[in-house]
Amino acid sequence: MTDRYQDLVHTPVGKFLVKNLGLPNPPKLERYRPDAPLVDGTVLVGAAPGSTLGSSVTDALATLSVATTSTLDEGARLKGIVLDATGIDTAAGLDQVQEFLTPVLRSLSACGRVVLLGTPPEQAATPGRAIAQRALEGITRSLGKELGNGSTAQTVYVGSGAEHAIASTLGFLLSPKSAYVCGQVIRIGIAGLTDAPAFDVAAPLAGKVALVTGASRGLGLAMAQTLHRDGATVVGLDVAPLADDLQREMAAIGGESIILDITAPDAPQRIAAYLSEHHGGVDVVVHNAGITRDKRLRNMKTENWHKVVEINVDAPQRITAELLDQKLVRTGGTILGVSSIAGIAGNNGQTNYAASKAGVIGWVQELAPRIAADGLTINAVAPGFIETDMVKTIPLTIREAGRRMNSMSQGGQPIDVAETIAWYASPGSAAVSGNVVRVCGQSLLGA
């Protein structure tokens, strides 16, 4: 859907009004293009004394062909800043973050990136380390709201033993692929998986099979197209009324179609049978299909409550259980759920939807350690305000609030959610499990 306000502010008249009236000023976000470098510029890399990720960061960025520097020349511009803060183990030691960042932040280009690397606070051996490492989240969440101009800030916790599994995550966070991801915390090597294979940066999913539900339009279609771009053979699934759209879109990317209602009692078995017969298994399972039936709880009909929960979280859990029982998700495979900021912060008139999307988070966090022994991962995205056909039904004032109440002052695009899914799906993200990453432009709602 067109954001007319965003179009206006980039005109001469709009720029004048924004400057003189203090209106929101949504920047033009850079998004990834396959014909462009992954990171189009230089990344400054630093480390606090005693930090442990130096060689891992250097190796990872070299693998990604990212230009780096350890010093900032006068007048130089930076596309990214990475600080290894794993050595900070006291509250007083946090001065080192400020002393490193303050002199260089003004050199950050538009749509720049800041990434702080730490160790999981829950793995801290001392109170001082737990304080310092948890404080990194407060720094990046606040910095993300300060930077402006389309720039972002994130915290990445690297668990013990996962030091060499960070390339995929750094590539995602430093590149335009994470255009609408800001103020997030990512944990690597927490759910029992600490290693990741080498991967082809241009086509990480070559030879892989991906199932995407709700794939005929919107977020699901963007996910299918992006996974195909990264090399996957895509099997799209949707309901019978959308069969023509699904078959047309899947044919355009050389994919396949399954016409099926995921709430059917035999849906898990039918999906499993198709994947087994046609592909001998599956590598990526994206549970995107979902619905809303909005009413305040006092006016909610039982059938609308039940249907939302059934489609959004119960059916994905049942389908996944069947695929796992039949051992059809291949080693190194990943299961991906779609949550929502409504499941984190709640939303007026969406108790059923929020319940289902919070349920997705509970499912992801419970299943992650259980499937780690089989070399499998599970994660979730939590979209915020994304410009899909669904937003056309939202009243104007609420729609504008959704667009402006985030650090980017605009809604996201379906590709932003799809890029996050593709990062999770990459073999290089094999140590990323049990995470819930918001794709919301750092919405003011939620955590």
Side-chain angles (χ1 to χ4, degrees):
M1 186 174 179
T2 301
D3 183 347
R4 297 184 184 279
Y5 176 83
Q6 187 176 4
D7 293 339
L8 171 66
V9 301
H10 293 294
T11 66
V13 172
K15 291 177 181 178
F16 175 83
L17 292 174
V18 165
K19 180 178 179 179
N20 288 277
L21 298 179
L23 298 174
N25 187 17
K28 290 185 177 179
L29 300 183
E30 295 176 2
R31 290 186 168 88
Y32 175 71
R33 303 191 324 272
D35 61 343
L38 183 65
V39 178
D40 192 8
T42 300
V43 174
L44 175 67
V45 179
S51 294
T52 59
L53 295 175
S55 62
S56 298
V57 173
T58 300
D59 292 346
L61 296 181
T63 296
L64 299 167
S65 299
V66 174
T68 63
T69 183
S70 59
T71 58
L72 179 62
D73 295 332
E74 186 175 352
R77 303 297 292 173
L78 298 171
K79 200 60 181 179
I81 301 170
V82 176
L83 175 63
D84 178 4
T86 55
I88 302 176
D89 57 6
T90 65
L94 290 166
D95 290 357
Q96 298 169 64
V97 180
Q98 181 271 319
E99 291 168 356
F100 177 77
L101 290 178
T102 298
V104 299
L105 284 174
R106 287 187 176 87
S107 299
L108 195 64
S109 301
C111 298
R113 303 286 186 259
V114 178
V115 178
L116 299 188
L117 301 172
T119 55
E122 57 269 29
Q123 293 182 1
T126 66
R129 176 171 288 278
I131 291 168
Q133 295 300 307
R134 181 60 176 81
L136 299 179
E137 297 181 32
I139 294 170
T140 52
R141 291 191 194 281
S142 295
L143 183 58
K145 295 177 180 179
E146 294 179 6
L147 289 172
N149 210 12
S151 294
T152 65
Q154 329 283 353
T155 297
V156 178
Y157 289 129
V158 182
S160 178
E163 295 83 0
H164 299 290
I166 63 175
S168 175
T169 298
L170 282 180
F172 172 66
L173 295 179
L174 290 172
S175 76
K177 293 181 178 184
S178 59
Y180 204 61
V181 176
C182 187
Q184 296 306 290
V185 177
I186 294 166
R187 286 172 161 79
I188 303 176
I190 303 301
L193 294 163
T194 58
D195 198 12
F199 62 99
D200 183 339
V201 177
L205 297 176
K208 306 293 185 182
V209 176
L211 171 71
V212 181
T213 68
S216 67
R217 57 186 179 180
L219 297 183
L221 176 57
M223 293 171 189
Q225 293 169 334
T226 304
L227 294 174
H228 166 70
R229 178 203 70 191
D230 284 358
T233 296
V234 178
V235 178
L237 183 152
D238 223 318
V239 292
L242 297 174
D244 290 345
D245 291 343
L246 178 67
Q247 291 168 345
R248 181 182 66 253
E249 298 295 354
M250 292 305 101
I253 60 173
E256 304 167 17
S257 301
I258 300 176
I259 310 303
L260 180 65
D261 180 348
I262 60 172
T263 66
D266 63 345
Q269 291 75 28
R270 290 170 63 186
I271 293 170
Y274 182 94
L275 293 172
S276 177
E277 178 183 351
H278 292 269
H279 299 286
V282 67
D283 302 284
V284 180
V285 179
V286 185
H287 293 290
N288 165 73
I291 64 168
T292 59
R293 294 292 185 271
D294 296 350
K295 287 287 184 181
R296 290 185 175 180
L297 188 57
R298 64 191 180 196
N299 300 320
M300 182 70 64
K301 294 181 179 179
T302 298
E303 56 267 31
N304 286 341
W305 178 283
H306 176 75
K307 197 68 174 176
V308 167
V309 172
E310 183 182 29
I311 292 175
N312 293 359
V313 67
D314 184 52
Q317 187 275 328
R318 292 191 302 111
I319 292 166
T320 298
E322 184 67 25
L323 295 176
L324 293 176
D325 285 347
Q326 294 196 31
K327 299 190 181 302
L328 289 173
V329 184
R330 287 186 272 263
T331 300
T334 188
I335 298 152
L336 302 171
V338 177
S339 181
S340 167
I341 60 169
I344 297 170
N347 204 10
N348 185 1
Q350 287 195 316
T351 51
N352 53 353
Y353 185 73
S356 69
K357 295 304 186 178
V360 169
I361 296 173
W363 172 52
V364 165
Q365 293 175 338
E366 188 278 335
L367 189 56
R370 288 203 292 114
I371 62 176
D374 295 320
L376 306 178
T377 62
I378 181 170
N379 295 283
V381 293
F385 189 99
I386 306 296
E387 300 281 359
T388 64
D389 288 342
M390 188 181 295
V391 306
K392 294 177 181 178
T393 64
I394 300 175
L396 176 63
T397 55
I398 298 175
R399 186 164 67 233
E400 281 303 299
R403 284 173 171 153
R404 309 307 160 208
M405 291 179 64
N406 61 71
S407 296
M408 305 298 168
S409 298
Q410 62 192 280
Q413 299 296 322
I415 186 61
D416 298 321
V417 183
E419 292 284 18
T420 308
I421 289 289
W423 156 61
Y424 276 143
S426 169
S429 301
V432 179
S433 194
N435 282 260
V436 181
V437 169
R438 291 170 57 198
V439 186
C440 63
Q442 199 179 18
S443 172
L444 302 185
L445 301 176

